[in-house]
Amino acid sequence: MTNNIKDKNSQESIRLEISEFNSDGSCNSELEGKKFKVFGAIPGEIVLVNIVKEFSDFTVVNVSKVLKSSPNRIEPPCEFYLLCSGCQFQHLDYEFQLKLKTKIVTEEILKNENFKHVEILNTIRSDKLYHYRNHARFTISKKPPLRGNLGFVNKFSRKIFKINKCLLMDHKINYLIKLIQGKLIGMSQLSIRVGANSGFALIQPDFQDIFSEIKSGQKKITEYFLGNPFRIGSPSFFQVNTKQAEKLSELLVEHLSLDGSEMVLDTYCGVGVFSVLLAPFVKNVVGIEISDSAIEDAIFNSRHLDNVEFIKDSTEEALKKLDFHPDIVILDPPRSGCKKNVLDSLKLIKPKKILMISCDLESFMRDTEILCMNDYQLKLVQPVDMFPNTKHIEIFGVLEKLN
Ligand SMILES: C[S@@+](CC[C@H](N)C(=O)[O-])C[C@H]1O[C@@H](n2cnc3c(N)ncnc32)[C@H](O)[C@@H]1O
């Protein structure tokens, strides 16, 4: 029975029965012909909700009270949950989160008739459910009453709310927040990156005039990754969950069956993590990267290896000019995925294997489907939980050339 009844504590509450999950972490519900996107719910539950925002074709609501609870529900530990855009799954127990991520990926892949044969593995769990992020970007309020306070932006009102800690962040980041909160007058943004393994910190911008006792304004940081030191310049990309990124990197070697004769092309290579880790197992690695800072780091990080080279260019342009034939291509593009001409070039280059790594299921599916139209077969998909308690899923896919 679905009735629009008012919660006795709140004039605004609406009673909803919850149906399936959406890809943004919300759930669907319908009442008297009206569609709702419900945050903080689980399919099968009956909840009271508060309206957050109304659109012409649906209304966004947050759960205010659970009337019939799912067995997979837990108490979200963060006081800012549902206000902040960082986490969507804190109210789900971790086993359920992992199963849900595998289900989301499986359903998306099986929508394509040609992918019925694909081996889809269970999502690789993260040992840490909280405090796994090595990088934080905060907004600082310039106006009273929060002037000088750092925080996040409310996902609905877009107003800054002050935080004293974020449960996703490394403990060292939260320690720093405690020291500086409320004293950041005149600043608008703050980035803190820490080495989860090395313990080093990189704080931007330089605020030594306010906090002389805290080192800031560093240009680079060193992080140990599977025992190897990597220099990471302040503007360079580096995976935010070091431990899970290590597990992801190990998948490369595990799924490549290398015999040492391979030429590997590591596109969108960042500071050269995959290039450096694969170098001992293959003949040559060539990395491609567009960012000046990341390519300088990659060259520095591979200085002890004589079979690694880097091309500073866009993957789009570098593939057009490639003067060797790679056996294996690693594709690890930004969230938006590969440009169409990258996929067109790969069809001409014809590597035997393509490893596709993506933090976005939609662009992963789009790019994989294009590659698999004639030339490649998607053999295996391995989701990795790089971002526990959030809707985000890292996806690792193995594509093999059809004869
Ligand atoms: C998701 S990161 C992957 C980095 C690396 N594989 C790693 O795991 O550390 C994507 C990288 O692609 C770079 N990038 C973005 N657009 C690019 C393009 N068009 N061509 C080459 N590199 C690009 C970014 O600077 C970033 O370093």
Side-chain angles (χ1 to χ4, degrees):
M1 191 182 70
T2 307
N3 282 325
N4 186 354
I5 57 155
K6 297 246 168 78
D7 173 21
K8 62 175 184 280
N9 299 320
S10 161
Q11 289 298 306
E12 298 300 319
S13 282
I14 304 166
R15 181 185 190 271
L16 294 177
E17 286 182 12
I18 304 300
S19 51
E20 72 284 346
F21 269 113
N22 294 308
S23 58
D24 63 0
S26 67
C27 288
N28 287 329
S29 184
E30 259 194 68
L31 180 68
E32 295 162 2
K34 269 186 89 174
K35 288 188 167 45
F36 293 87
K37 248 178 184 233
V38 188
F39 284 92
I42 305 177
E45 288 190 332
I46 299 176
V47 295
L48 294 181
V49 297
N50 287 331
I51 294 179
V52 176
K53 212 164 186 171
E54 293 193 270
F55 295 90
S56 56
D57 45 354
F58 66 92
T59 302
V60 176
V61 294
N62 276 344
V63 170
S64 56
K65 190 171 180 183
V66 181
L67 301 179
K68 182 185 156 213
S69 175
S70 159
N72 302 109
R73 172 173 286 279
I74 56 168
E75 193 57 36
C78 178
E79 61 185 298
F80 304 111
Y81 189 50
L82 298 186
L83 192 73
C84 171
S85 55
C87 294
Q88 300 77 29
F89 288 167
Q90 277 192 19
H91 63 294
L92 309 181
D93 71 57
Y94 191 53
E95 294 311 314
F96 188 70
Q97 287 187 34
L98 290 170
K99 281 192 192 135
L100 178 62
K101 289 187 179 185
T102 308
K103 183 169 177 272
I104 291 170
V105 172
T106 304
E107 285 178 358
E108 206 51 43
I109 288 174
L110 295 183
K111 274 186 197 163
N112 185 321
E113 275 295 313
N114 298 328
F115 289 169
K116 298 283 180 230
H117 63 278
V118 177
E119 185 181 1
I120 305 165
L121 302 177
N122 288 334
T123 303
I124 296 182
R125 68 173 54 242
S126 173
D127 302 327
K128 281 188 175 181
L129 307 192
Y130 289 100
H131 305 296
Y132 59 79
R133 275 193 72 100
N134 60 32
H135 192 182
R137 278 201 192 90
F138 298 109
T139 305
I140 300 161
S141 179
K142 289 194 141 183
K143 294 186 206 145
L146 287 183
R147 191 162 164 256
N149 282 280
L150 64 78
F152 291 126
V153 174
N154 179 312
K155 72 174 165 185
F156 301 112
S157 72
R158 309 310 300 162
K159 285 193 180 139
I160 298 173
F161 62 92
K162 173 185 168 182
I163 58 157
N164 293 318
K165 62 179 181 224
C166 166
L167 297 181
L168 298 192
M169 298 303 166
D170 189 291
H171 290 294
K172 292 183 274 295
I173 294 177
N174 284 331
Y175 175 73
L176 279 162
I177 295 177
K178 255 195 195 161
L179 296 181
I180 61 180
Q181 183 56 296
K183 301 173 192 158
L184 301 157
I185 310 289
M187 290 171 59
S188 57
Q189 292 285 326
L190 178 72
S191 159
I192 307 175
R193 192 178 246 177
V194 296
N197 294 329
S198 69
F200 293 123
L202 190 162
I203 301 172
Q204 289 284 355
D206 187 341
F207 57 32
Q208 299 234 189
D209 51 333
I210 316 179
F211 306 102
S212 54
E213 70 285 10
I214 302 172
K215 276 209 173 129
S216 58
Q218 298 90 335
K219 300 261 180 299
K220 50 188 180 293
I221 189 175
T222 297
E223 173 62 315
Y224 296 102
F225 195 94
L226 292 171
N228 299 271
F230 283 89
R231 186 185 88 181
I232 308 156
S234 155
S236 304
F237 173 90
F238 197 72
Q239 289 284 4
V240 297
N241 183 339
T242 311
K243 280 278 167 257
Q244 287 305 92
E246 287 178 328
K247 289 185 194 169
L248 176 73
S249 303
E250 285 173 329
L251 291 176
L252 298 182
V253 179
E254 191 184 319
H255 288 285
L256 280 176
S257 326
L258 301 166
D259 64 15
S261 67
E262 295 85 1
M263 298 281 284
V264 177
L265 187 62
D266 180 14
T267 66
Y268 311 92
C269 70
V271 301
V273 172
F274 299 149
S275 301
V276 168
L277 296 177
L278 280 176
F281 303 101
V282 301
K283 188 168 175 215
N284 280 102
V285 189
V286 175
I288 303 171
E289 170 61 50
I290 201 166
S291 143
D292 289 330
S293 168
I295 203 89
E296 279 171 25
D297 292 333
I299 293 167
F300 180 84
N301 293 331
S302 61
R303 65 199 182 288
H304 57 294
L305 296 162
D306 58 11
N307 63 343
V308 181
E309 280 172 50
F310 292 98
I311 301 170
K312 194 214 148 322
D313 205 342
S314 69
T315 300
E316 295 78 17
E317 289 307 310
L319 288 188
K320 285 187 208 156
K321 300 177 219 154
L322 213 62
D323 59 1
F324 69 97
H325 179 262
D327 304 295
I328 297 161
V329 171
I330 302 170
L331 285 179
D332 187 8
R335 181 172 291 275
S336 55
C338 298
K339 295 259 164 64
K340 169 91 168 41
N341 58 0
V342 167
L343 305 171
D344 291 342
S345 294
L346 285 173
K347 288 186 172 207
L348 297 175
I349 296 167
K350 300 184 172 59
K352 276 189 240 140
K353 267 193 184 179
I354 299 175
L355 298 187
M356 178 81 100
I357 297 156
S358 172
C359 60
D360 186 83
L361 185 55
E362 200 181 321
S363 60
F364 174 89
M365 288 304 298
R366 184 198 62 214
D367 295 350
T368 308
E369 284 177 342
I370 293 174
L371 286 168
C372 290
M373 265 172 194
N374 300 310
D375 312 83
Y376 286 87
Q377 189 172 44
L378 179 62
K379 298 290 278 189
L380 176 134
V381 170
Q382 171 69 79
V384 178
D385 196 16
M386 197 77 94
F387 316 101
N389 292 302
T390 79
K391 63 184 177 183
H392 300 289
I393 314 173
E394 190 81 10
I395 307 138
F396 171 86
V398 180
L399 288 87
E400 283 180 8
K401 174 104 189 61
L402 291 167
N403 290 324

